Amino acid sequence: MTLLSVREIGKRFGKLRALDDVSFDVQSGTFHGLIGPNGSGKSTLLKAIAGAHFADEGRILFAGRDVTWMAPHERSQAGMSLKFQITAIIRELSVYDNMLVAVQAAEPVLRLLRSATRAALQRHILNALDRFRLRGRSSELAGELSHGEQQWLEIAMALARGPKLLLLDEPTAGMSPQERRFTGELLAPIKAHCAIVIVEHDLDFIRSVCDRLTVLDQGRVVATGCVEEIGRNAKVQQIYTRRV
Ligand code: ADP
Ligand code: MG
């Protein structure tokens, strides 16, 4: 089933065409990578999908609805979740409390006040921390986590609402090779209930994690296809050899 359909999106910043006639589809249960040189429009595209800014042209369909003119919180209620390049954790709160903030944003406060729900809530948070290898650190301040752990906490927080689609902008930037591998392992089980659109510089990482890729260059789609097709694509090879 098509979960997300980006159709002929255009976005200008003054005279600069940051996105030009960009179209691609994301199926449920798949991870879709966005790659391309610096400044090719990847972050701008993620923001347009999440509603952080509106596109000037085109349409965005999500879970059977036209979300083109929806505000970010409406898209979030519809089942989208965005993790930006810049971290959103609260460094002065514990790891557990960061999760609590994220979950509470998703749950009506009155339900949280009922103790039965509170126990369930605690279980839910500890399970999530467990999945992201953070349970042993739940009482530590989030600011004391390593860079990689902070990224995982943020992904766990972005998943707190049980989204249908998670948008990730360079989650492995600044990570060690081992942390990157862990990240791939942590993301894999999400596929059962949530699709991902992920921007990445690290081509090996994105090849290992994604089912399909869209390549952007100067705001335009160069190619969309499965990882093998993109690897063979002459235009894509040209872009990446041009860079070095
Ligand atoms: P990428 O994420 O692929 O590196 P971006 O989407 O961040 O690229 O940027 C695409 C182009 O749009 C770049 O030339 C960038 O300088 C420009 N751009 C991005 N955001 C803004 C903005 N808010 N105002 C003006 N120009 C912007
Ligand atoms: Mg970017």
Side-chain angles (χ1 to χ4, degrees), residues 13 16 18 36-45 47 169-170 199:
F13 295 113
L16 175 78
N38 259 335
S40 55
K42 305 179 297 293
S43 295
T44 303
L45 179 54
K47 286 179 189 161
D169 197 349
E170 300 195 24
V199 169

